[in-house]
Amino acid sequence: MLRKPIFLAALLSMGVLAACAVEKGPSSYSPSGVKADHPALSEAEKLTPCFECHKEATPELYTEWYQSGHGLDSVRCFQCHGTYENMKRVPDEAVCSVCHSGEFHRKPAGTSCWQCHPEHSFSAHK
Amino acid sequence: MGLSRREFIKRTAALTAASCAGVSLTLPQAEEAQAFDADEWVRGSCRLCGVGCRVELGVKNGRPVALRGVPDSKTNFGYLCMKGMLFYKLMGHPDRLTKPLYRKSKKDKFKEISWDEALDIAAREFAKAVKTHGSDSVAYYGSGQALTEETYLFQKVMRGGLRTNNVEGNPRLCMASAVGGYLTSFGADEPIGSYADIEQATCFFLIGSNMAEAHPVLFRRVMRRKLDNKDAVKVINADPRISPTSRVADLHLQFEPGTDLALLNAMAYVIIEEGLYDEKFIGQYTTFRMGKKEEVSFEEYRSFLRDYTPERAAAICKGNITPDKIRTAARWFAKSNATMSMWTMGINQRKRGVWANNLIHNLHIITGQLMKPGADSFSLTGQPNACGGVREGGGLCHILPGHRLVKKDKLRHQVEDLWGIPRGRIPAKPGYHTMAMFTAVNQGKIKAIWINCTSPAQSLPNADLYRKGMAREDLFMVVTDIFPTKTTELANLVLPTAFHFEKTGVYGCTERRSQLTWKAVDPPGEAKPEVWIVREWALRLAKELDDPVIAKCVAPFVGKEEQYELPEAIWNEYTQKLTKGRDNDLRGATYRVLRQRPDGVQWPAPTEEWALKGGTYKKFVRGMDPLADEHAKDEKPYQFYGPAHPDKKLWIWLRPHKGPEEMPDAEFPFYLSTGRVIDQWHTASMTGRIPELMRANPYAYVEVNPRDAKRLGISPGDMILVESRRGRNLLPAKVYEGPVEGMVFVYWYDQHEDRLINRVTKDAFDPGSKEPEFKICACRIKRVSGPKVLKPYLASITT
C-alpha cells in the first residue's frame, strides 16, 4: 500500500499530540492501561523503532526519554507502551513492576508510579 | 548528514510492499492484559547474555505468561532488559522444533521420526565413524548457553566413552582470550572480583565493550554509579566506535582498530614514568615476564615501555587519540581510589587477544588496582553459561572439568579415577580447537559431529568456507536445538530440545556465580532435555561399540527421572567429585542451597555453610576467600594460589604492539568490525522470533562514518556492497557518527544470506587462545542503489 508521506507525518503528529495531552497533564492521577489510537502503519513502517519517528514527531518527549535513565540504558518505548497491536498510550502500571518490583509494592496505595516519577524523564520525585 | 529520518521514512514508505512475508511479527491483541495474572512465579536465570540476571517466570494454567526481575538478586536487583522481559514468548512459539527430524542425504527433505529411531541413528553413525576412522573422527561442538549439567555429560561421554578430546564450544569464539589472559597474568581463570565492585569504583576503564547494548543491566549499574557521583567517578571509554556506552564517558578514546596494544602500553609508560605505580604491591606480589620461563626486571620493563611514549602511541592509534588524552587516562586510572576495567569482544576477538588481556591486567597490577573493594580487572562474558558450563565444566578441547588441563597426566588420571574408568581412557592429547575442528570437517577428517545449542553455520568467521564442510555428504551432523537455524539447514538429524524453564539446571555467569533454574513448564511436543538425550544415546553407543566403559559413563544416571533428579545427580557428581580441591570448588552449591539463595553462589564455595552466605565475593583475599586461607604460604593478606603459576605471583607481561592479521590496503581500504545491538542476541534464532525485538532491529545495517559517506556519496538507507577477500554482503547504510573514519561496522545477528556478515569476516585466530579475529578485517564498500524494501529473515526447516 502506497502512502503519502505528508499524510503519515500529520497522522503521527496528531495521534501523539493527543497522547501527550493526557500524559503530560498536571499532577493528577493518570489512569493506566489506556489503549492507544496510533495512526495506521504499514508493515514496513512497523519495522522502525518508535523513537526514530518520535524524534521528529514528538521531539520533547523523545528528548526527555533520551536524557533519562531509561534513555541512557536503552529502555525502549515498547517495553512500557507495548508495540503496535497492543500499544497502550498510558502503560499498565504492572509493567513497571517487571524491573521495579520493590518500589512498585512500596508505593502508597492509590497512587501511580508517574505521579512521583514524571513519565519519560523519570527523575527521582516530582 | 544526508536525509533526515522523516525523509528516510518517506522514501522507504514509498517503496513499501503491502505485506512483509517470511517472518510472522503479529501479536495477539489481548496478550498484555493477561501478563501478570499468574498462578505461580518460578525462579531462574535469564536465558540470554552473560550478566546472569535473576528472573521469575509467571505461570498460569501451565503456560508461561510473564517474566519479572528478582529484586533481592545481587546481579540485577530486579532490573531486566527487553530480552529478559520477553523470552518467555519463545516457550510456546509455533516455530519450535517438536519432533526428531532425519534425512540420510543433505539434499533430501527432513522426515519426522521417533526418538527411538533418532537415537539409534545417532549411535549407529557415531559408532560407524569410530570403528572405521578412529575416535578422533567424531566431535562435539557445544555452547555457552547449554546448562552445566549438559556440557558436563556431553564431554564425559565424548572423552571417557568415545576416547576423544574433540570437545569444543562457541565460547572459543568469545572468551578464550580472556581465559588465556587470566591464566597467564593471574595464574587462575575468571575474575578476581565481582559486580559488587561497581558500586565501590571511582574510575571505570571500559575498553572494547559496548556494554550498554551487550550487557545492559550491568551497564545500568555503571551508569547509576556515574550519575550519582558525577564528579567523583570518572568513566573512560576506549573503542574505535562511539556507541551508547560512550554516553556516560568523561573521556572517549577513539583509536583505529587493532592499535589498542600500543594504547595500553602507553598508559603503562605514563604510570611508570610519572611514578604512579604501587611499588609495594609490585615488590610483594609480582614478577615481570618476557616468556613463561623468562623473568625480567622492573628496569627492563621500564626500558621496554620507552617504545610507547604517548607521542608514539598517538601516532600509531590515530583516531582522536592525543598524547594528552593518553596521559589523562593513565592518571585517572592510577590515581583513582579504585579502578575497575571491563571489556568484551573488542579485546578478546583479536589475533593478539591474550596479549590485549595481559596489558589490561598489567595496568591493574602495576597500580595495585586489585583486591581492594571497587578495583578489578573484569572480563565480561557474552553467554549465560560460558563460564560455568564451558570454562569450569570441561567444555573445551584442552580442559577437563574443574579447570584441569588435559595434557597434565596427574589431572587427567584424577578425572578417570573419579569417573571410575580405566586410566588412559581419556587421550593425553587435546582435541581440535574450534577453527581446527571445522577445518578438519572441511578436510573430511571428522565424519560425525554433534552440534548442541549453537549455530556455527552463522557464527563462524569466514562462514562460507566452513559451511562447505558442514554440507559434505560424508559428514553426519546432529543438531540439538529449539528452533531451525542456519546450521539445521546442513544437518542430517535435528533433535528438538527443551528450552529454559522447560528443564532444570545451572548457569554460571561472569562473576563466578552459579544459579539454578527450575523447570516450570513442559516442553512442547516431543522436545526433550539434553541430559536425557545424551544418556540414552550413550547407552546405545555402548551397545553399538560393545564397550561397557561408555555405559559406565552414564551408569550413575540411569533410571533417574529426567526433569529434576537427572540434572541434580549430574550436578552432584560434577560438584562433589570434580570440583573438590580445585579453585572452582562448588561442593557447597548443592541444589538445596541454590534453591534457597535468591542469586546463587559464587565459588570458591567448599561448604554449604559458606555457600549459604553467597560464597566468595573476591578471590585470593584472606578472610574473604576460604581457599586463600587454606593455601596461605605466609602472612600476606593476598594469596595467589591459582594453578597456573607455580611461583604464586602475578605476572606483568612485556607484550609489544601487534596489529591485526589483515590491514586495509588500496584494494580493500576499510576496516570491517562487527558487533551487537541491544534488541537482538547472537544469531537471532530466539530474539528474531519475538516480534517486539525483531521490529526494533529487523535487519542488519552497515554503519558508515558520515565523512566516509559524504566522500562516497552514501545516504541513509542506500544499499551498500560490503566485500572482503572472502565474501560479500548487501546491506542498508546507517550513516552514523559511530565508527572511526575509515571503518565500517555491521551487526552480526542477521540470518539473511545477503546480510550474514560472517561470510565477510576473517578466520585468523590468536595463536595462544585460538580465538578468531572477528573484530578486524579489511573490506571495501560501494553504493549499489538507493533504499530497498527489506524483509526480516529467519531460517526455516522443510519437511
Side-chain angles (χ1 to χ4, degrees):
Chain A
M1 179 176 68
L2 290 177
R3 171 179 307 284
K4 288 188 186 300
I6 295 171
F7 179 59
L8 169 68
L11 274 176
L12 274 171
S13 305
M14 286 163 62
V16 175
L17 286 173
C20 296
V22 174
E23 290 188 335
K24 298 295 288 178
S27 60
S28 60
Y29 178 81
S30 301
S32 75
V34 178
K35 292 279 283 182
D37 47 358
H38 195 285
L41 295 176
S42 72
E43 291 302 315
E45 286 159 358
K46 288 177 194 168
L47 299 179
T48 306
C50 314
F51 68 83
E52 290 286 8
C53 283
H54 283 267
K55 209 184 279 185
E56 294 179 30
T58 58
E60 287 178 12
L61 281 188
Y62 169 80
T63 304
E64 278 183 54
W65 163 78
Y66 186 72
Q67 300 296 350
S68 72
H70 276 190
L72 273 171
D73 202 23
S74 304
V75 177
R76 301 283 202 225
C77 310
F78 68 76
Q79 287 178 256
C80 303
H81 293 280
T83 189
Y84 184 68
E85 289 87 346
N86 58 11
M87 196 171 69
K88 301 277 173 63
R89 190 173 60 196
V90 183
D92 278 315
E93 268 201 315
V95 80
C96 304
S97 71
V98 169
C99 288
H100 304 280
S101 173
E103 297 84 347
F104 185 80
H105 291 105
R106 281 198 301 273
K107 75 180 172 67
T111 60
S112 68
C113 301
W114 39 84
Q115 271 183 277
C116 297
H117 303 278
E119 62 273 16
H120 300 120
S121 64
F122 301 106
S123 50
H125 280 102
K126 272 183 181 172
Chain B
M1 74 149 277
L3 296 179
S4 70
R5 178 70 215 172
R6 182 177 296 180
E7 288 168 317
F8 172 57
I9 290 166
K10 285 177 192 173
R11 287 174 65 168
T12 50
L15 289 161
T16 298
S19 66
C20 197
V23 176
S24 171
L25 294 173
T26 307
L27 286 170
Q29 300 243 355
E31 187 172 9
E32 290 300 320
Q34 305 296 322
F36 298 96
D37 184 16
D39 299 331
E40 63 169 334
W41 293 90
V42 182
R43 280 201 175 174
S45 298
C46 181
R47 172 62 180 75
L48 284 305
C49 82
V51 173
C53 294
R54 206 66 177 146
V55 301
E56 286 180 327
L57 178 72
V59 180
K60 186 174 180 64
N61 298 325
R63 290 184 58 245
V65 292
L67 281 157
R68 66 185 185 193
V70 174
D72 52 349
S73 162
K74 290 193 183 74
T75 55
N76 58 318
F77 300 117
Y79 295 95
L80 296 178
C81 76
M82 63 281 278
K83 301 181 290 295
M85 282 176 72
L86 295 171
F87 76 82
Y88 73 92
K89 297 189 173 192
L90 301 173
M91 294 172 200
H93 197 283
D95 289 355
R96 284 289 298 273
L97 297 165
T98 57
K99 292 272 288 183
L101 303 170
Y102 175 66
R103 58 183 177 182
K104 189 171 176 58
S105 165
K106 288 166 185 162
K107 294 176 187 139
D108 296 340
K109 287 187 175 179
F110 284 101
K111 62 176 183 181
E112 292 182 354
I113 58 172
S114 70
W115 270 108
D116 270 339
E117 290 173 291
L119 292 164
D120 283 345
I121 291 167
R124 198 166 60 235
E125 291 291 340
F126 272 70
K128 187 172 81 181
V130 168
K131 281 191 265 192
T132 312
H133 302 282
S135 286
D136 284 339
S137 70
V138 298
Y140 167 75
Y141 185 70
S143 172
Q145 300 159 56
L147 296 164
T148 299
E149 294 83 345
E150 294 163 358
T151 298
Y152 174 80
L153 192 58
F154 263 119
Q155 64 86 38
K156 184 181 183 188
V157 171
M158 294 299 293
R159 298 182 203 275
L162 292 176
R163 312 177 77 155
T164 179
N165 288 312
N166 286 343
V167 172
E168 270 285 290
N170 59 14
R172 178 73 70 183
L173 307 180
C174 63
M175 41 103 277
S177 296
V179 176
Y182 278 126
L183 285 170
T184 50
S185 287
F186 299 157
D189 189 21
E190 305 200 38
I192 294 171
S194 298
Y195 299 156
D197 286 311
I198 292 172
E199 282 75 29
Q200 304 285 327
T202 51
C203 177
F204 292 99
F205 183 54
L206 312 177
I207 180 166
S209 166
N210 175 14
M211 67 184 300
E213 295 197 77
H215 302 89
V217 177
L218 203 56
F219 176 75
R220 192 203 67 82
R221 292 172 68 163
V222 175
M223 175 196 85
R224 183 46 54 201
R225 177 79 179 146
K226 172 65 185 170
L227 293 182
D228 292 345
N229 303 274
K230 282 194 172 70
D231 297 325
V233 171
K234 299 289 188 196
V235 179
I236 306 162
N237 182 207
D239 201 300
R241 174 175 175 252
I242 297 169
S243 72
T245 304
S246 318
R247 291 188 62 201
V248 299
D250 297 277
L251 177 62
H252 190 266
L253 301 171
Q254 191 176 25
F255 47 86
E256 279 197 1
T259 62
D260 42 7
L261 277 75
L263 173 71
L264 293 163
N265 273 331
M267 287 173 67
Y269 171 89
V270 173
I271 289 164
I272 298 294
E273 290 307 309
E274 297 189 4
L276 302 176
Y277 55 94
D278 187 334
E279 193 171 355
K280 189 177 170 192
F281 188 87
I282 292 173
Q284 284 192 320
Y285 296 110
T286 73
T287 64
F288 296 86
R289 300 271 168 164
M290 282 285 280
K292 198 172 177 186
K293 293 182 180 170
E294 190 181 352
E295 205 169 328
V296 296
S297 67
F298 175 80
E299 281 309 316
E300 284 170 287
Y301 178 57
R302 183 195 286 261
S303 171
F304 162 81
L305 291 175
R306 289 195 185 111
D307 283 344
Y308 302 97
T309 62
E311 286 71 20
R312 283 190 188 175
I316 295 170
C317 294
K318 302 188 182 75
N320 78 354
I321 305 297
T322 63
D324 280 349
K325 282 185 178 168
I326 294 173
R327 288 193 178 90
T328 300
R331 289 167 191 156
W332 286 358
F333 190 107
K335 291 180 178 178
S336 145
N337 289 334
T339 296
M340 187 170 189
S341 294
M342 285 183 268
W343 67 95
T344 329
M345 303 313 153
I347 290 294
N348 294 342
Q349 291 177 332
R350 294 281 312 287
K351 180 76 187 291
R352 285 296 173 185
V354 175
W355 289 10
N357 274 263
N358 289 145
L359 295 186
I360 298 170
H361 297 323
N362 276 3
L363 296 175
H364 285 270
I365 299 170
I366 63 176
T367 54
Q369 292 285 11
L370 278 173
M371 321 309 296
K372 56 189 179 183
D376 201 29
S377 193
F378 196 92
S379 153
L380 300 172
T381 298
Q383 297 185 89
N385 202 28
C387 290
V390 176
R391 280 156 90 158
E392 298 159 27
L396 295 171
C397 67
H398 65 295
I399 52 170
L400 298 164
H403 289 157
R404 291 174 172 90
L405 289 175
V406 166
K407 66 182 181 186
K408 298 271 187 192
D409 292 346
K410 182 183 158 193
L411 299 178
R412 205 172 57 255
H413 294 329
Q414 272 179 8
V415 174
E416 290 164 337
D417 294 348
L418 291 166
W419 286 347
I421 61 173
R423 286 194 173 187
R425 188 78 189 184
I426 303 173
K429 189 182 165 197
Y432 292 120
H433 62 79
T434 293
M435 299 314 297
M437 181 178 281
F438 286 95
T439 300
V441 167
N442 277 357
Q443 293 167 341
K445 292 178 181 170
I446 288 178
K447 299 296 183 187
I449 189 167
W450 192 307
I451 293 170
N452 181 40
C453 195
T454 186
S455 182
Q458 183 178 353
S459 60
L460 290 175
N462 194 6
D464 283 355
L465 177 63
Y466 301 102
R467 290 198 288 184
K468 282 181 196 158
M470 285 183 254
R472 286 176 69 121
E473 284 292 339
D474 61 349
L475 172 76
F476 175 76
M477 192 157 97
V478 187
V479 177
T480 27
D481 216 320
I482 64 166
F483 287 120
T485 65
K486 296 300 289 182
T487 304
T488 59
E489 288 178 351
L490 302 170
N492 297 94
L493 183 62
V494 177
L495 302 179
T497 56
F499 184 55
H500 212 50
F501 280 107
E502 295 170 356
K503 57 189 177 184
T504 301
V506 176
Y507 272 173
C509 74
T510 303
E511 57 167 356
R512 298 175 282 103
R513 183 182 295 277
S514 294
Q515 304 184 110
L516 179 65
T517 297
W518 200 248
K519 178 183 179 283
V521 294
D522 290 328
E526 296 178 22
K528 286 285 197 180
E530 283 93 322
V531 286
W532 177 86
I533 298 170
V534 186
R535 181 185 69 186
E536 300 304 312
W537 172 62
L539 292 172
R540 283 165 168 81
L541 270 175
K543 284 184 186 163
E544 289 283 343
L545 289 166
D546 191 21
D547 186 345
V549 178
I550 302 175
K552 174 93 175 164
C553 289
V554 294
F557 315 123
V558 171
K560 301 279 183 197
E561 175 276 328
E562 70 204 48
Q563 303 293 357
Y564 306 99
E565 286 181 15
L566 177 56
E568 183 169 18
I570 297 168
W571 177 255
N572 284 343
E573 175 178 297
Y574 163 58
T575 55
Q576 303 308 313
K577 290 185 176 180
L578 276 296
T579 73
K580 181 184 177 185
R582 305 301 299 169
D583 66 341
N584 71 317
D585 195 329
L586 277 160
R587 282 175 295 159
T590 59
Y591 269 25
R592 187 180 75 83
V593 169
L594 292 174
R595 289 206 77 184
Q596 288 181 52
R597 295 274 317 152
D599 47 17
V601 173
Q602 289 181 281
W603 58 260
T607 65
E608 284 199 334
E609 185 187 7
W610 186 254
L612 278 167
K613 294 175 189 166
T616 301
Y617 144 68
K618 207 173 263 283
K619 286 195 295 183
F620 304 142
V621 182
R622 293 191 69 173
M624 285 188 183
D625 174 356
L627 297 192
D629 293 318
E630 185 185 325
H631 294 292
K633 302 282 188 211
D634 51 39
E635 294 306 311
K636 290 176 189 163
Y638 311 141
Q639 298 289 331
F640 298 104
Y641 57 79
H645 285 183
D647 62 0
K648 306 303 173 197
K649 292 198 167 184
L650 306 177
W651 293 2
I652 298 163
W653 285 93
L654 283 63
R655 302 291 202 197
H657 170 63
K658 185 89 175 165
E661 175 83 359
E662 186 177 63
M663 291 286 285
D665 55 22
E667 198 180 353
F668 296 94
F670 279 85
Y671 288 104
L672 167 67
S673 192
T674 66
R676 288 198 29 209
V677 291
I678 191 168
D679 311 279
Q680 300 277 8
W681 197 74
H682 271 219
T683 56
S685 61
M686 293 184 287
T687 49
R689 290 183 164 88
I690 298 173
E692 293 93 329
L693 302 181
M694 191 56 146
R695 282 182 183 174
N697 261 296
Y699 27 74
Y701 283 83
V702 54
E703 291 181 359
V704 183
N705 183 286
R707 287 171 292 286
D708 290 324
K710 186 176 181 184
R711 189 164 50 83
L712 297 172
I714 293 171
S715 297
D718 285 353
M719 297 305 294
I720 307 300
L721 187 69
V722 178
E723 197 171 17
S724 74
R725 291 180 175 87
R726 294 153 295 282
R728 55 171 57 184
N729 270 199
L730 185 61
L731 295 148
K734 186 174 279 188
V735 178
Y736 171 61
E737 192 67 65
V740 70
E741 203 170 343
M743 165 190 171
V744 294
F745 186 88
V746 178
Y747 319 142
W748 75 274
Y749 66 83
D750 201 323
Q751 297 182 7
H752 194 283
E753 288 293 317
D754 284 348
R755 304 186 294 268
L756 199 161
I757 195 58
N758 277 326
R759 302 180 72 193
V760 184
T761 53
K762 185 161 173 60
D763 50 353
F765 56 84
D766 184 301
S769 70
K770 322 298 185 198
E771 178 164 347
E773 193 165 47
F774 286 94
K775 286 295 177 190
I776 309 172
C777 72
C779 75
R780 59 187 171 213
I781 61 172
K782 181 184 168 189
R783 181 185 181 278
V784 173
S785 73
K788 294 274 190 196
V789 176
L790 299 174
K791 296 175 181 175
Y793 175 82
L794 291 169
S796 57
I797 207 158
T798 311
T799 52

